[in-house]
Amino acid sequence: MKIQAPKGTKDVLPEESYIWQYVEDKFRQICKLYGYEEVRFPTFEYTELFHRGVGETTDIVQKEMYTFLDKGGRSITLRPEGTASVARLFIEHGFASRSMPQRLYYIISAFRYENTQGGRYREFHQFGIENFGSKSPVTDAEIISLSYNFFASLGLDSIVVNINSIGCPVCRKDYVAKLKEYFQNHIDSLCQTCRQRLDKNPMRILDCKEDSCRLIAKEAPKPIEYLCDECKTHFEALKGYLDAAGVCYKVDLYIVRGLDYYTKTVFEIVDVVADKKLAICGGGRYDNLIEQIGGGSIPGIGFAIGVERLIMLLSQKGLIPQKPQVPQVFIATLGDLAVKKAFEIARDLRSAGISTVIEELSRSLKAQMRYADKMGCEFSVIIGEDEVSKGICKLKNMKTSAEEYVEINKLSEHIKSKI
Ligand code: HAM
């Protein structure tokens, strides 16, 4: 068998890795501007965390997790998302005693055994934000504003922010009863998994990906029709704050999100790629998650952005910046004395911030120049033993082919003035 990368994974080559660095830098910048600090956490966790955090009846837990027993017989799962892990981290490191709210961000890979169509990968990457300790809709608006302005900083002006409220355990009681009744009347059209969900968690039927279930779900009662006064007030206040923050949004009553921990605000940010809606960001409030996994009563809210989808979108919209030229300078050498001098010159150029490579293969000068040209270097520095003894080098502009002699000790200054 020819060994290839597993289905649903992706290698990132130098032609693309600079784009990943570009979006990561932009994300880190916006996080800093909003007062968020980075956390890093393990790629795998004990499986129990996701069962209790993400929810037993979700698609993620039922169908999509990479779970295995380690050599010590413990059940381990590759993280399918970041929120449960950050909540675990919050509890484990006693963050409840720090000043609130806590503003945390992360850049992670995540793993879900999914169909690999429509921008879905089995290993994918997320930029995520979690805010702990605030129940206020001010926080919901800040979070949504952060993601909105992140996309704006990348030039994405066609994104749509869709918000909804799915209520709290208080209003959910009535809602879930109505939902059960509705789906019970359509049980014959539901898929096998959803029939099992009907009793335990009928809300999960609303985000089932099977066509027959989606059709029925469209006509189902909506959470917003059953909100209690507190949830209603919270949602109204959020809308006012979003207006104040300058965020354009739409209310989309169909958003319920596929994870069990959400309460009140949920949102998704979508754009259109090849005539298809693509969710590039999803998030919401989770006021009971910390408690569910063994911590105190601490509210939270966050979101995650799909990095592969974001890059796909930027590329479709022509918003990818030009690749920076690496390396900028090639040092061609003739003879061992020149090779030794090349180390010294390279050190000077690099400390001046100029990306420099030296000939490593002892090729002919013609071959070296061909290589420098192929690499797209802006300049070549050519040195032989004669030049070394005179303290000079030949500098060639690779675009114009113009050549000049420059004193070696003035070279970095000279090149800097031309780049
Ligand atoms: P999620 O909606 O499951 O939410 O994922 C967030 C984003 O990750 C999606 O909008 C999508 O862009 C991307 N994504 C999800 N699955 C895949 C996949 N298989 N392939 C490529 N991209 C994918 C969460 O993960 C929550 N933890 C978000 C959150 C944070 N809620 C509160 N805090």
Side-chain angles (χ1 to χ4, degrees), residues 8 54 60 64 80-84 106 108 110-131 143 209 257-259 261-262 267-270 278-286 289 300-310 312:
V54 173
I60 292 181
E64 297 169 359
E81 56 110 52
T83 311
Y106 50 89
I108 58 164
F111 306 85
R112 296 184 196 175
Y113 191 80
E114 292 204 78
N115 281 332
T116 52
Q117 287 125 18
R120 285 179 198 286
Y121 291 89
R122 291 184 175 171
E123 179 184 20
F124 59 99
H125 296 78
Q126 289 186 333
F127 294 157
I129 286 286
E130 311 296 347
N131 179 307
I143 285 272
K209 290 169 192 136
R257 312 270 304 127
L259 302 99
Y261 46 63
Y262 291 114
F267 66 98
E268 277 176 359
I269 300 184
V270 298
L278 192 72
I280 48 170
C281 174
R285 181 163 275 289
Y286 46 83
L289 173 63
I301 177 163
F303 69 72
I305 292 166
V307 184
E308 284 80 1
R309 293 185 189 185
L310 172 64
M312 196 196 298

Side-chain angles (χ1 to χ4, degrees), residues 12 20 47 82 88 117 168 192 222 259 279 293 296 303 399-400:
V12 177
W20 285 70
T47 305
R88 196 259 314 133
Q117 287 125 18
C168 64
Q192 210 50 44
K222 314 273 177 298
L259 302 99
I293 60 169
F303 69 72
K399 270 191 205 107
T400 63

Side-chain angles (χ1 to χ4, degrees), residues 36 83 102 104 129-144 234 238 262-267 283-287 298-303:
Y36 280 73
T83 311
Q102 280 292 310
L104 307 172
I129 286 286
E130 311 296 347
N131 179 307
F132 296 96
S134 164
K135 275 190 164 173
S136 165
V138 172
T139 306
D140 306 37
E142 269 282 90
I143 285 272
I144 296 171
H234 190 277
L238 166 63
Y262 291 114
T263 50
K264 294 190 175 142
T265 308
V266 284
F267 66 98
R285 181 163 275 289
Y286 46 83
D287 289 346
I298 300 207
I301 177 163
F303 69 72

